[in-house]
Amino acid sequence: MSDCIFCKIAAGQIPSRKVYEDDDVLAFHDIHPVAPVHFMLIPKRHVDSLAECDDSHRDVLAKIMLLAPKLAREQGLADGFRTVINTGRGGGQEVFHLHVHVIGGNGPRPL
Ligand code: AMP
Ligand code: ZN
């Protein structure tokens, strides 16, 4: 685990505002929200980014993608939401533990 902040959040060593949790996945609110609703889904098992995923991540990636609309609805985003996955330094990734942002509540925006 080393000193990965999201591993520490997944292990309960750093507090978070939890949205959802099961054995494989944790969802929690972003500490610096860019919209009225902004949370993240992460696999509990560490992987640096989408670029490091392989077949062993298939099930957890599917689970995260299927949870995103369900949790978005539960958070009040009946109208829709954005999903963002920043990958690698070139993709603007700052925390190197794969996470899927779910963002919404401030109206439509162009890509
Ligand atoms: P990125 O790696 O660019 O996709 O973004 C990392 C995101 O993690 C940023 O939106 C941060 O606000 C968020 N973040 C960093 N530390 C925490 C934390 N302790 N709890 C919740 N969100 C965090
Ligand atoms: Zn980690």
Side-chain angles (χ1 to χ4, degrees), residues 53-107:
C53 286
D54 58 30
D55 278 351
S56 75
H57 300 94
R58 189 182 301 268
D59 287 352
V60 78
L61 288 172
K63 195 178 212 181
I64 285 172
M65 284 304 168
L66 293 172
L67 274 166
K70 180 174 185 283
L71 299 181
R73 264 191 311 273
E74 287 175 10
Q75 293 297 313
L77 300 177
D79 217 23
F81 57 91
R82 298 173 62 213
T83 43
V84 175
I85 307 173
N86 297 319
T87 302
R89 299 207 184 281
Q93 187 175 0
E94 289 176 355
V95 175
F96 282 80
H97 179 131
L98 172 64
H99 50 283
V100 177
H101 296 263
V102 175
I103 300 163
N106 55 357

Side-chain angles (χ1 to χ4, degrees), residues 3-76:
D3 56 358
C4 170
I5 187 168
F6 285 0
C7 279
K8 287 182 177 162
I9 287 174
Q13 293 167 1
I14 290 179
S16 68
R17 287 178 54 222
K18 221 172 277 184
V19 170
Y20 172 87
E21 180 169 23
D22 66 26
D23 286 348
D24 312 305
V25 173
L26 177 70
F28 56 97
H29 292 281
D30 198 292
I31 205 166
H32 297 302
V34 298
V37 177
H38 183 179
F39 64 90
M40 279 176 295
L41 288 138
I42 67 167
K44 285 189 172 177
R45 175 162 75 100
H46 182 91
V47 59
D48 276 8
S49 81
L50 195 58
E52 277 73 39
C53 286
D54 58 30
D55 278 351
S56 75
H57 300 94
R58 189 182 301 268
D59 287 352
V60 78
L61 288 172
K63 195 178 212 181
I64 285 172
M65 284 304 168
L66 293 172
L67 274 166
K70 180 174 185 283
L71 299 181
R73 264 191 311 273
E74 287 175 10
Q75 293 297 313

